[in-house]
Amino acid sequence: MYIDICTNAISQTDFGLFADDTKFPGEASASSQIQNDLDALTEKLEEWQLSSNIAKCSVVHLGRQNPKCSYKMKGIDLTKSTCEKDLGVILSLDLKPQKHIGLVVRKASNTLWLLTHSLRYLDIHSKISAYTSYVRPQLENATVIWSPYLKKVIDRIERVQKRFVKGLQGFRNLPYDKDLRRLTLHKLETRRTILDLKPSSR
């Protein structure tokens, strides 16, 4: 029912509806249309006695030529944001993934540290299972969107897995590539390439 309310109120702007989120992607030249639909949506929500959290609403302006128009809801200017998290991925104004990658690497490194100290007495197979279940998925979530192209960033991500491998008993002094073959693991860069190709093979 609530989705129908939004659909009926918004007439001019393309929009996306998610679980508890609504997005208004649009060109800066259509700012008046976007504002009109924001006003219509606000009016419809008030009619149905539904509240909107304006403090959580924000505007992200993309493009160097963007005039960065202001938008309002209930007469209150919406916050202009320099980056936003969209479906788990941080979107910045320059559309570069470095900020998101930095967060992902820190979170995965923290999880790896916790697992390393909690599971130090387990066998190698159990440690690999824990790594592939709790650490690696953090480094691979939505990589189709943010997969890096700079070597220094690729190496930064790979270092997380390298720390895990070198922390295993008997793998400290061997070349990293040989370690991976012994453990039947792939480089994270290789896995990202495979993940990129999967949608095109369906």
Side-chain angles (χ1 to χ4, degrees):
M1 180 179 70
Y2 299 143
I3 291 178
D4 289 338
I5 293 173
C6 296
T7 304
N8 294 333
I10 303 170
S11 60
Q12 303 180 68
T13 309
D14 291 331
F15 62 97
L17 292 174
F18 301 90
D20 59 349
D21 207 1
T22 304
K23 294 180 175 61
F24 283 76
E27 297 182 8
S29 58
S31 58
S32 59
Q33 295 179 2
I34 296 174
Q35 183 60 62
N36 289 339
D37 278 333
L38 284 174
D39 294 338
L41 177 61
T42 301
E43 184 178 336
K44 184 64 69 172
L45 290 175
E46 290 180 345
E47 179 183 334
W48 283 81
Q49 298 183 359
L50 298 172
S51 60
S52 57
N53 193 339
I54 299 177
K56 289 187 176 181
C57 298
S58 60
V59 182
V60 177
H61 294 291
L62 302 176
R64 296 180 180 178
Q65 305 300 322
N66 196 311
K68 299 182 180 180
C69 301
S70 297
Y71 299 95
K72 298 183 178 183
M73 290 185 71
K74 296 183 179 180
I76 301 173
D77 286 331
L78 299 183
T79 304
K80 294 180 181 179
S81 178
T82 57
C83 66
E84 284 293 324
K85 181 177 283 190
D86 187 8
L87 300 179
V89 179
I90 295 178
L91 175 70
S92 56
L93 297 183
D94 57 8
L95 297 180
K96 293 181 179 180
Q98 273 75 352
K99 185 171 292 188
H100 176 76
I101 291 173
L103 177 62
V104 166
V105 169
R106 285 195 299 273
K107 290 179 65 176
S109 297
N110 290 340
T111 306
L112 178 60
W113 183 90
L114 181 63
L115 288 180
T116 300
H117 287 75
S118 301
L119 310 178
R120 65 178 67 182
Y121 299 112
L122 292 183
D123 59 273
I124 288 179
H125 295 293
S126 298
K127 291 180 179 179
I128 292 175
S129 179
Y131 166 76
T132 56
S133 298
Y134 297 106
V135 180
R136 194 170 67 183
Q138 296 184 41
L139 298 167
E140 295 182 339
N141 181 45
T143 54
V144 174
I145 299 173
W146 60 263
S147 185
Y149 55 90
L150 296 175
K151 187 179 185 305
K152 64 179 182 179
V153 181
I154 294 172
D155 291 343
R156 182 183 180 188
I157 299 171
E158 196 69 39
R159 279 198 294 270
V160 178
Q161 179 166 273
K162 192 172 184 178
R163 279 200 303 273
F164 165 72
V165 171
K166 293 303 179 182
L168 298 174
Q169 186 176 3
F171 290 84
R172 184 178 299 274
N173 299 320
L174 295 175
Y176 178 55
D177 290 341
K178 289 186 178 181
D179 289 341
L180 293 180
R181 285 196 292 270
R182 287 179 60 191
L183 297 170
T184 63
L185 295 174
H186 295 287
K187 281 188 173 183
L188 296 177
E189 181 181 10
T190 303
R191 288 182 56 82
R192 286 195 299 273
T193 302
I194 295 172
L195 291 172
D196 285 346
L197 294 173
K198 276 187 176 180
S200 62
S201 63
R202 293 176 182 172

